[in-house]
Amino acid sequence: MTISKYSANGNDFVIFHTFVKKDRSFLAKKLCHRQDGVGADGLIVLVPHEKYDFEWQFYNSDGSEAEMCGNGSRACAHYASANELAPKKMSFLTLAGVINAEVDGNMVQSELTPPKILDKEIEHNGKKWWKVDTGVPHLVYLTDNIEEFDIDEARELRYKYNANVNIAFVDGKNLRVRTYERGVEGETLACGTGMAASFYRALEENLVGKSIEVYPKSGETLYLGMNDRTITFKGEVKRVFITEFCD
C-alpha cells in the first residue's frame, strides 16, 4: 500500500487512505516503530464518511487509539487536500468530534473542539496542575523554567490521571511548552492539543492574549487563537516522503 510520512512541528505521522474501516492497532505499532518500521508518533487512516469530507482513525505509536491530535489534524488535512480527498476548507470526524481545517500551501489551520476545564485543584510535589480537555485530557503546570521537565514525574502523573502532561512558560506575550504524551510514553517535539491546553490555562489566568505564538520543543512557531468557543491552531506542515509499504 502507498503511505505518506508527514511532520507537523516535530510531531511525525504515517498517513494513508482506504475504503475499509477496521482495527489497525497492530499495523500502527508496526509502522510507527522507529527501528523496524517507518517511525512515527502516530498512524492516521482516512476513511469515507457520508456526512463529512472524511473520517479519521488515529493511533498512537503503541497501537492505542486516541480521540484527537492537534498536529495530526493539520497533517491529515494537508494529506486530504493533496490527494484530492477534500477541498482546502474541510470538515472531518474524529472521536473527539468534528474538526474544521483549512489548507493554504504548507500552512494549515485546524479548529479544535471547545476546551473544557476538568480540574483546577490538582496538587502534586508542591505544584498546582490544571486538567484541561482540548480533544484529549492534558495536565498543565505553569513554570518559571521550561528547561526543568521531570520526565519521571510526568510519567507518574500520566498514569495517575490518564492524561498527557505539559509544562508551560509565559515568554513575554507568548508561550513555550513541553509535553509528555501518553501512547508515545515519552516527551515529543510538539503536541498540538497540549499547546492548546497550556494556552487555555494561561488565557484563563490572564497571562496571555487571545492570539499568541507558541513554541514547542522543536523550536518551530505555532499560532493559536481563541474564538467564542474554540481554539484555532495554525502552523507549517511538511510532507517528508511517499513510499510503498508491504504489510
Side-chain angles (χ1 to χ4, degrees), residues 13 43 52-54 64 66 78 82 100 111 168-171 189 208 227 233 245:
F13 309 96
L43 169 66
Y52 302 105
D53 290 304
F54 57 90
S64 60
H78 189 283
N100 299 312
E111 185 177 10
F169 170 66
V170 179
D171 187 1
L189 292 178
V208 297
N227 293 330
F233 177 53
F245 179 78

Side-chain angles (χ1 to χ4, degrees), residues 1 46 67 69 72 86 92 99 141 170 177 191 195 198 204-205:
M1 60 183 176
L46 283 66
E67 294 89 347
C69 174
F92 58 95
I99 299 298
Y141 171 66
V170 179
V177 179
C191 174
M195 287 183 276
S198 300
E204 285 289 297
E205 296 198 70

Side-chain angles (χ1 to χ4, degrees), residues 2-6 15 79 82-83 239-244:
T2 302
I3 61 172
S4 296
K5 173 75 177 282
Y6 269 80
I15 308 178
Y79 175 93
N83 286 276
R239 185 172 63 189
V240 181
F241 60 76
I242 301 173
T243 190
E244 296 294 320

Side-chain angles (χ1 to χ4, degrees), residues 107-161:
M107 294 295 289
V108 183
Q109 177 174 290
S110 61
E111 185 177 10
L112 306 181
T113 53
K116 302 173 186 175
I117 297 173
L118 304 178
D119 195 340
K120 290 184 177 181
E121 304 297 332
I122 296 174
E123 297 279 348
H124 187 86
N125 290 342
K127 301 172 184 176
K128 186 176 180 180
W129 300 80
W130 284 25
K131 190 175 185 181
V132 182
D133 190 317
T134 49
V136 289
H138 283 270
L139 293 178
V140 178
Y141 171 66
L142 299 180
T143 179
D144 292 329
N145 187 354
I146 197 67
E147 301 303 321
E148 294 185 357
F149 192 22
D150 189 331
I151 298 299
D152 290 333
E153 178 186 48
R155 185 177 295 111
E156 180 183 351
L157 285 164
R158 173 263 185 270
Y159 284 103
K160 184 175 181 180
Y161 294 97

